[in-house]
Amino acid sequence: MSEVITYEVLYGILRAEKESNALTKLEKDFFEKVVKYLSEKQAILTSQESKSSVFTASETMKTKHQLDNIQRILKESYERREHKLIDLALFHSRTKELVDTSLMLDTEKQFYDSVLEMLDFFRKNVLYSVLSQNIPKLPSNSSFVSQKSATKGLKTVRFIRAIPKFVGTDMNTYGPFDEEDMALLPETVAELLIKKEKATAL
């Protein structure tokens, strides 16, 4: 049965997040229900504020106080889950062991994937470069790692030798590149450069 959002339910979720290192199970439409609950509380507060009496003034203060508490609970719950998601991404990036993502909401899974992608990118291009006795040199557009879709079908390469500007198999122009430069290129272009021993995959 679908759980109705109440102040007590939200407080229970926060308590569970505090007591466990694992994510608390939430319904997939949790955020939608929370937004509806907040809207209803705000509507009650607005209605109370439009009336003027000693009784409504007391009720208005009570509702406002509860709304403030609800927002505080939601913020703390979010930040605790956020911390757990980052820890999981760090664990996966460092160990390559599978992580259970079944308790993540859809938006949380997107966040987790983005963090993991960024961690993997910099681990490969900074740590592994240093371990291979190469100075880390990130592409100028490294901000792409914050968006998963931007790396789909792309490959990062390091140039073994300097090459002039060239037209790739996709008819786009790339370069020029100096020796030891790194670049994010379409896989077909990257594979051709690797095959011709002009670059190496990272």
Side-chain angles (χ1 to χ4, degrees):
M1 183 177 178
S2 182
E3 187 172 36
V4 177
I5 297 297
T6 63
Y7 181 88
E8 290 72 22
V9 167
L10 293 176
Y11 185 77
I13 290 171
L14 175 57
R15 185 172 62 247
E17 294 294 351
K18 287 180 176 180
E19 293 174 350
S20 174
N21 290 327
L23 291 168
T24 300
K25 181 175 175 57
L26 300 176
E27 295 183 359
K28 291 297 183 181
D29 59 349
F30 174 74
F31 287 136
E32 287 84 349
K33 288 181 177 179
V34 166
V35 169
K36 183 174 182 291
Y37 176 65
L38 285 172
S39 297
E40 291 171 349
K41 283 291 181 183
Q42 184 61 55
I44 292 172
L45 179 60
T46 301
S47 176
Q48 290 173 338
E49 289 176 335
S50 68
K51 301 171 185 176
S52 58
S53 72
V54 175
F55 173 75
T56 55
S58 175
E59 288 299 305
T60 299
M61 287 296 295
K62 182 179 178 181
T63 303
K64 189 176 187 308
H65 180 67
Q66 187 179 49
L67 191 55
D68 288 342
N69 280 341
I70 291 168
Q71 292 175 335
R72 177 186 57 78
I73 289 171
L74 287 169
K75 182 175 182 291
E76 187 173 350
S77 295
Y78 175 88
E79 290 175 350
R80 285 183 176 275
R81 291 179 72 86
E82 178 183 59
H83 191 275
K84 292 176 184 180
L85 292 169
I86 293 172
D87 282 347
L88 287 170
L90 271 170
F91 174 78
H92 189 164
S93 180
R94 290 172 179 174
T95 67
K96 302 307 176 186
E97 292 185 26
L98 291 178
V99 168
D100 181 11
T101 61
S102 63
L103 294 179
M104 298 179 191
L105 299 176
D106 290 343
T107 52
E108 292 176 331
K109 180 62 165 58
Q110 291 178 4
F111 172 75
Y112 168 83
D113 287 342
S114 295
V115 172
L116 177 60
E117 185 176 19
M118 183 175 288
L119 289 170
D120 284 347
F121 176 83
F122 281 95
R123 178 175 294 274
K124 177 193 295 183
N125 292 292
V126 178
L127 174 61
Y128 293 165
S129 288
V130 172
L131 294 178
S132 300
Q133 300 176 34
N134 293 304
I135 297 174
K137 192 172 182 181
L138 299 175
S140 59
N141 64 335
S142 60
S143 60
F144 78 91
V145 297
S146 65
Q147 300 179 11
K148 184 177 180 181
S149 60
T151 59
K152 189 174 182 180
L154 302 177
K155 177 174 286 190
T156 304
V157 298
R158 178 186 290 110
F159 286 87
I160 300 172
R161 63 190 71 175
I163 64 170
K165 184 184 297 185
F166 67 95
V167 176
T169 54
D170 58 356
M171 302 309 294
N172 288 321
T173 302
Y174 301 95
F177 297 103
D178 293 326
E179 183 178 348
E180 293 301 317
D181 274 356
M182 290 194 299
L184 184 72
L185 302 170
E187 285 188 5
T188 53
V189 176
E191 292 297 339
L192 185 60
L193 290 168
I194 294 169
K195 185 176 180 180
K196 290 184 175 181
E197 298 184 344
K198 294 182 178 180
T200 181
L202 292 176

